[in-house]
């Protein structure tokens, strides 16, 4: 990973990144691990088995269905382990759905801290800040694009407590925050001085099972998914993969399966299984 980041002109040890991210740990766990297994890998698989069980949980999938207010099926899109190291910079305002390959408004993420997260400004206080109601603000990205001056004055754009920007810190282990895929959110820099701590969090994202892939997600004849590492992040691409409208960050999550699915069709794929309702679940357990 360090070599790849350095090839992109970034120093992972010099604060050039806001966090490190690992996708789809649930896929690394074997399905249906044997309870009485005595092989040498059984202890190593146990934590990943817990991750797999959580991501495929009917309880979380049903909750996603209720919060999205949809009668459609629910698909597990991805999980993400976030490692924000002491000294890492702030995570800029962004919306997760811009990084996903789907054409949908029905996407939701459960953000789970793996340690206590104190209030902002205190050691380790790096939970998420949200712009309340931004998922319904069509005008912001339509008139202003994905970034720009308007994103520097969000407190003036929205009404409500604190100008529409809110957080739910402090957070304890066992707490969770939930946000729509189009909700703008960010995270403070991780304090390095005076014994600042690394912060770990786990996110699980679900999407409407009827959501279709966009055509522009697939690489063109000139641009292969394998060449993502060579793409530049300049004004001509606005941080997006060439020939696409989205951000390229999540390509590392979906690149293994996206070319096996035809755009603009309902589909099934074991890498992004249907997990709700029970009678329509894909058999991936």
């Amino acid at each position: 990973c360090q070599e790849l980041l350095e090839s992109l002109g970034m120093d992972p040890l010099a604060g050039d990144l806001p966090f490190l991210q690992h996708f789809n740990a649930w896929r690394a766990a074997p399905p249906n691990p044997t309870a009485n297994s005595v092989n040498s890998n059984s202890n190593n698989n146990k934590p990943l088995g817990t991750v797999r069980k959580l991501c495929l949980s009917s309880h979380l999938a049903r909750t996603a269905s209720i919060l999205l207010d949809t009668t459609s099926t629910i698909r597990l899109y991805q999980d993400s382990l976030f490692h924000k190291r002491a000294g890492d910079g702030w995570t800029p305002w962004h919306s997760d759905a811009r990084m996903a390959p789907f054409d949908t408004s029905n996407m939701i993420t459960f953000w789970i801290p793996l340690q206590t997260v104190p209030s902002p400004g205190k050691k380790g206080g790096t939970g998420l800040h949200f712009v309340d109601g931004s998922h319904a603000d069509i005008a912001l990205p339509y008139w202003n694009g994905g970034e720009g001056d308007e994103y520097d004055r969000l407190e003036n754009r929205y009404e409500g407590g604190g100008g529409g920007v809110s957080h739910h810190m402090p957070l304890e282990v066992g707490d969770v925050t939930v946000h729509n895929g189009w909700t703008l959110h960010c995270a403070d820099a991780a304090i390095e001085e005076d014994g600042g701590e690394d912060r770990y969090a786990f996110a699980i994202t679900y999407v409407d099972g009827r959501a279709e892939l966009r055509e522009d997600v697939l690489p063109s004849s000139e641009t292969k998914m394998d060449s993502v590492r060579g793409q530049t992040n300049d004004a001509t691409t606005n941080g997006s993969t060439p020939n696409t409208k989205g951000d390229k960050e999540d390509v590392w999550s979906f690149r293994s399966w996206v070319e096996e699915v035809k755009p603009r069709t309902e589909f099934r794929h074991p890498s992004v299984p249907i997990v709700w309702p029970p009678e329509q679940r894909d058999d991936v357990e």
Side-chain angles (χ1 to χ4, degrees):
C1 289
Q2 183 166 336
E3 291 178 358
L4 174 58
L5 291 170
E6 290 173 348
S7 74
L8 295 171
M10 294 181 285
D11 185 349
L13 303 179
D16 289 350
L17 298 175
F19 53 81
L20 301 178
Q21 184 175 5
H22 176 78
F23 288 115
N24 297 313
W26 80 270
R27 296 182 196 160
N32 297 318
T34 320
N36 59 358
S37 172
V38 292
N39 67 56
S40 60
N41 294 322
S42 59
N43 289 333
N44 294 332
N45 287 333
K46 189 174 294 184
L48 289 178
T50 301
V51 168
R52 185 183 184 92
K53 183 177 180 180
L54 178 63
C55 291
L56 298 174
S57 163
S58 293
H59 176 71
L60 278 186
R62 178 176 179 271
T63 303
S65 176
I66 293 171
L67 293 176
L68 289 174
D69 192 23
T70 179
T71 57
S72 173
T73 55
I74 296 296
R75 182 186 306 279
L76 170 62
Y77 167 41
Q78 67 180 21
D79 70 58
S80 304
L81 176 64
F82 292 98
H83 177 194
K84 199 171 187 71
R85 302 161 299 174
D88 279 348
W90 83 297
T91 305
W93 291 111
H94 66 282
S95 56
D96 299 336
R98 180 175 167 80
M99 305 174 190
F102 305 101
D103 180 1
T104 185
S105 297
N106 289 336
M107 181 172 154
I108 196 166
T109 293
F110 295 78
W111 193 88
I112 306 167
L114 301 181
Q115 64 206 76
T116 299
V117 178
S119 298
K122 297 185 179 180
K123 296 178 183 178
T126 56
L128 302 183
H129 296 261
F130 304 95
V131 181
D132 298 329
S134 57
H135 66 289
D137 186 357
I138 300 172
L140 178 64
Y142 186 86
W143 295 118
N144 301 280
E147 56 186 36
D149 293 341
E150 192 64 17
Y151 289 84
D152 295 329
R153 52 188 301 276
L154 294 171
E155 292 85 354
N156 300 324
R157 186 178 182 90
Y158 302 97
E159 297 180 356
V165 178
S166 66
H167 67 80
H168 301 283
M169 294 171 272
L171 296 167
E172 302 293 335
V173 174
D175 289 339
V176 59
T177 63
V178 188
H179 60 274
N180 183 279
W182 289 105
T183 298
L184 285 169
H185 55 288
C186 72
D188 293 327
I191 298 174
E192 185 175 21
E193 296 79 12
D194 301 323
E197 297 180 352
D198 290 13
R199 184 264 281 156
Y200 295 89
F202 189 69
I204 308 173
T205 300
Y206 299 92
V207 67
D208 188 326
R210 296 173 303 182
E212 300 173 353
L213 292 185
R214 307 188 317 274
E215 301 92 336
D216 63 298
V217 173
L218 297 175
S220 68
S221 57
E222 295 84 18
T223 306
K224 296 298 182 183
M225 205 65 85
D226 288 340
S227 68
V228 169
R229 70 176 61 193
Q231 293 166 5
T232 57
N233 184 3
D234 57 26
T236 61
T237 62
N238 196 26
S240 302
T241 303
N243 303 314
T244 75
K245 296 179 180 179
D247 189 280
K248 68 184 181 182
E249 182 176 315
D250 277 11
V251 166
W252 303 103
S253 172
F254 59 73
R255 67 198 299 259
S256 65
W257 60 267
V258 71
E259 293 190 87
E260 299 173 7
V261 175
K262 183 178 179 180
R264 302 299 175 184
T265 60
E266 292 192 31
F267 69 94
R268 297 274 181 144
H269 196 285
S271 292
V272 278
I274 298 296
V275 291
W276 186 263
E279 62 272 16
Q280 298 189 51
R281 283 175 66 94
D282 287 331
D283 184 15
V284 292
E285 296 184 86

